[in-house]
Amino acid sequence: MSGKSALVLGGTGQVGRHVLREVLCSTHFTRVCEAGRRLTPLESLPEHVHAKLDQRKVDFDSASDWQDAFRDAKFDVVFIALATNMRDAKTNENFEKVDKGYVLDAARAAKVSDASQHQCLVYVSSGVANKDAYSFYSRCKAATEQGLADIGYADTIVFRPGFLRNTNRPVFRPIEAIAGPIFTVFSLFTDKLQINIDQLGKSMRIAGERGASGLPPIAEATLTNWGCAILPSSRTGAHAC
């Protein structure tokens, strides 16, 4: 057992809940912290992992709260699945505040100052992230990716998944209900369109364990000139790691 530590942000979200369970059940990690405004009910998690889970409530709008929550924690791997959607955010400004501002604030607070510690950051973005896109959503995702790379973790690994299958959303999304069957049909011919959400959680956990240099060729990771290892939507399944 390696005795590594991990931080999970966004552990109550669609992707984050799978990442949290994967990390908690991995023997690679002996200390796991879940931080956020909302925390996972302990009774929903396997009892044998309770002892290594540390849960910390954080006020996202308070920089001192972030710093206090992570002071001297020195996490080896930071998993970020913190995000919102345009429906909940209602405005571009609110969307950017959560999807970019909160994410970058948390990543900065969790970064260690000790250069001798090899610290890895794993972030789930979007398959449509593009700094030159017309869509504000796509541009914001790309800006968040670059902002994370600029923070200077030893490894910054970004997942860009396609359509997420088997989500369990509290609010019905008609577009997803229509698109899901269409993507399923086309996925008979290509693996570039969608991914099971539990596979995404598993892939993120394994990427965090291995680091950027340990990603296999099949993952088709691309090292950008701004310091990120990008995993495309076609290779974010568990088979990629």
Side-chain angles (χ1 to χ4, degrees):
M1 188 177 293
S2 64
K4 298 292 185 180
S5 61
L7 169 65
V8 178
L9 294 161
T12 60
Q14 291 296 311
V15 176
R17 67 186 61 177
H18 290 280
V19 174
L20 180 62
R21 281 180 170 268
E22 283 285 338
V23 173
L24 283 170
C25 292
S26 169
T27 56
H28 187 91
F29 299 103
T30 55
R31 180 169 63 91
V32 179
C33 176
E34 178 194 13
R37 282 188 295 203
R38 291 179 296 144
L39 300 172
T40 305
L42 279 177
E43 59 269 20
S44 69
L45 298 170
E47 189 173 349
H48 70 277
V49 303
H50 291 185
K52 68 176 178 180
L53 176 62
D54 174 19
Q55 295 181 306
R56 305 180 187 184
K57 277 203 170 186
V58 178
D59 178 0
F60 289 168
D61 292 313
S62 171
S64 61
D65 235 32
W66 283 119
Q67 293 163 1
D68 290 343
F70 306 145
R71 194 182 307 279
D72 300 323
K74 297 183 179 180
F75 301 109
D76 295 299
V77 185
V78 176
F79 295 94
I80 301 183
L82 180 63
T84 186
N85 58 72
M86 294 302 292
R87 174 177 176 171
D88 291 341
K90 295 184 173 57
T91 67
N92 286 351
E93 291 74 18
N94 285 339
F95 181 85
E96 186 174 34
K97 178 180 179 181
V98 175
D99 235 68
K100 180 184 175 186
Y102 290 167
V103 168
L104 296 184
D105 285 347
R108 292 188 191 102
K111 187 177 182 299
V112 298
S113 57
D114 182 1
S116 67
Q117 181 176 350
H118 189 100
Q119 196 177 28
C120 176
L121 184 146
V122 183
Y123 169 63
V124 58
S125 180
S126 169
V128 298
N130 185 337
K131 66 181 179 64
D132 298 317
Y134 173 78
S135 163
F136 174 81
Y137 174 92
S138 298
R139 296 198 310 273
C140 187
K141 288 292 187 182
T144 303
E145 293 175 0
Q146 182 150 4
L148 290 171
D150 291 343
I151 292 173
Y153 279 76
D155 280 340
T156 300
I157 301 173
V158 174
F159 280 76
R160 288 181 174 175
F163 182 81
L164 300 178
R165 289 186 59 195
N166 298 322
T167 58
N168 183 24
R169 301 191 189 279
V171 178
F172 177 71
R173 294 187 179 182
I175 294 178
E176 287 189 359
I178 296 170
I182 296 173
F183 281 124
T184 297
V185 171
F186 280 101
S187 291
L188 296 174
F189 309 99
T190 176
D191 65 354
K192 296 183 178 182
L193 297 177
Q194 67 177 355
I195 180 175
N196 283 322
I197 198 165
D198 58 339
Q199 288 183 320
L200 176 56
K202 182 176 181 180
S203 291
M204 290 179 65
R205 185 262 300 170
I206 297 175
E209 291 176 354
R210 293 189 176 187
S213 63
L215 296 174
I218 194 174
E220 296 182 357
T222 300
L223 183 63
T224 69
N225 59 6
W226 35 274
C228 270
I230 302 287
L231 275 73
S233 58
S234 62
R235 293 299 179 191
T236 51
H239 61 277
C241 296

